[in-house]
């Protein structure tokens, strides 16, 4: 864990993960980028839209018998709704994401490119969404298959996703307005993958869906009625 003074307000900005390059100051909402010896401010981030998620920075839990802590969040919007991507730091140093949408949860980890098969071709077909509206890209349709980590998955949803805000530690800059093509794919045994492209870099996240109780969350956000 490393601690720096925020260049904008002087408050402590903590990097728990060695892989975290960016962090949003909890006091002034400046996005801070970490170099080898110092930090610099990239400007003030937009306030996160409020929601009724019980999760928060510092929420803990269990996955595959190992504990984790939530250290960051992206709030994502698209034409039909919103969802959260919570960045999790496992006790063994691995980092993943908890997807939260309409009461459903998933856990995924970044898949190395050598484990992809025909993923780039799929993303290249869908990249026009970054320059068009979803309604305008009429030739982009789900239903095709890709293989990730040896598992064949079927694309079930393609959307243009826009970052609405971020907080905590992140592996990349996520200012308001950052857009990505996002392709959701599912396997026959509960596996899923999300294929993403921001116009510069492609990424694949592979994992599975989980029930609330399976994650054994702790240190939840107080919500009226819970």
């Amino acid at each position: 864990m490393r601690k720096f003074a925020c260049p904008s307000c002087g408050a402590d900005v903590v990097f728990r993960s060695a892989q975290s390059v960016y962090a949003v100051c909890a006091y002034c909402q400046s996005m801070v980028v970490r170099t080898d010896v110092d930090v610099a401010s990239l400007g003030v981030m937009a306030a996160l839209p409020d929601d009724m998620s019980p999760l928060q920075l510092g929420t803990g839990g269990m996955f595959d018998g190992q504990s984790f802590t939530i250290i960051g969040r992206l709030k994502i919007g698209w034409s039909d709704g919103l969802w959260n991507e919570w960045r999790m730091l496992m006790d063994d140093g691995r980092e993943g994401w908890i997807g939260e949408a309409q009461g459903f949860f998933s856990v995924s980890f970044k898949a190395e490119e050598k484990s992809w098969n025909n993923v780039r071709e799929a993303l290249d077909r869908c990249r026009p969404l970054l320059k068009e509206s979803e309604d305008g890209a009429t030739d982009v349709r789900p239903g095709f298959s890709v293989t990730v980590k040896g598992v064949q998955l079927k694309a079930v949803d393609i959307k243009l996703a826009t970052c609405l805000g971020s907080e905590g530690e992140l592996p990349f800059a996520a200012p308001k307005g950052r857009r990505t093509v996002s392709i959701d794919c599912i396997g026959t045994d509960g596996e899923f993958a999300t294929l993403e492209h921001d116009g510069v870099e492609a990424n694949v996240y592979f994992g599975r869906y989980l029930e609330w109780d399976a994650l054994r969350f702790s240190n939840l956000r107080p919500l009226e009625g819970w």
Side-chain angles (χ1 to χ4, degrees):
M1 182 169 65
R2 299 189 65 185
K3 186 184 297 185
F4 298 88
C6 173
S8 297
C9 72
D12 286 342
V13 178
V14 177
F15 288 84
R16 296 171 179 82
S17 167
Q19 298 180 43
S20 296
V21 181
Y22 299 89
V24 178
C25 175
Y27 294 90
C28 71
Q29 282 69 59
S30 292
M31 178 161 279
V32 173
V33 59
R34 182 177 72 175
T35 64
D36 289 339
V37 295
D38 207 350
V39 292
S41 175
L42 299 180
V44 177
M45 297 296 100
L48 279 166
D50 195 20
D51 61 21
M52 292 297 291
S53 173
L55 306 184
Q56 61 181 345
L57 298 185
T59 288
M62 296 289 294
F63 176 72
D64 280 353
Q66 187 174 147
S67 61
F68 65 80
T69 303
I70 288 177
I71 62 171
R73 171 166 68 145
L74 302 176
K75 186 77 172 179
I76 308 295
W78 65 297
S79 59
D80 286 345
L82 309 169
W83 81 90
N84 287 308
E85 293 287 349
W86 298 94
R87 188 168 179 232
M88 56 189 280
L89 177 63
M90 306 286 290
D91 273 1
D92 65 2
R94 288 183 300 147
E95 297 179 5
W97 294 90
I98 299 173
E100 177 196 19
Q102 298 178 333
F104 294 94
F105 295 87
S106 62
V107 173
S108 63
F109 297 86
K110 190 173 180 179
E112 295 183 7
E113 187 168 355
K114 64 183 181 182
S115 71
W116 307 356
N117 182 14
N118 67 318
V119 166
R120 284 199 173 275
E121 293 91 332
L123 284 166
D124 285 343
R125 289 200 302 272
C126 299
R127 281 180 65 184
L129 283 174
L130 290 170
K131 297 182 179 179
E132 305 178 49
S133 69
E134 286 172 296
D135 294 333
T138 56
D139 60 335
V140 177
R141 291 287 184 270
F144 54 85
S145 295
V146 296
T147 302
V148 179
K149 297 176 75 71
V151 177
Q152 187 175 45
L153 307 113
K154 181 179 180 180
V156 294
D157 188 37
I158 303 170
K159 51 186 170 286
L160 177 62
T162 303
C163 181
L164 304 178
S166 57
E167 63 177 334
E169 297 176 50
L170 300 167
F172 50 78
K176 182 178 181 181
R178 176 182 181 265
R179 303 204 306 172
T180 57
V181 171
S182 180
I183 306 173
D184 291 333
C185 306
I186 60 171
T188 57
D189 293 319
E191 310 97 338
F192 88 96
T194 297
L195 323 179
E196 287 188 350
H197 207 302
D198 63 3
V200 177
E201 184 178 2
N203 288 296
V204 175
Y205 302 92
F206 181 85
R208 65 182 189 267
Y209 294 101
L210 291 159
E211 298 292 334
W212 166 269
D213 289 344
L215 291 164
R216 295 169 57 185
F217 288 119
S218 61
N219 188 29
L220 294 168
R221 173 187 172 200
L223 291 173
E224 187 175 351
W226 275 63

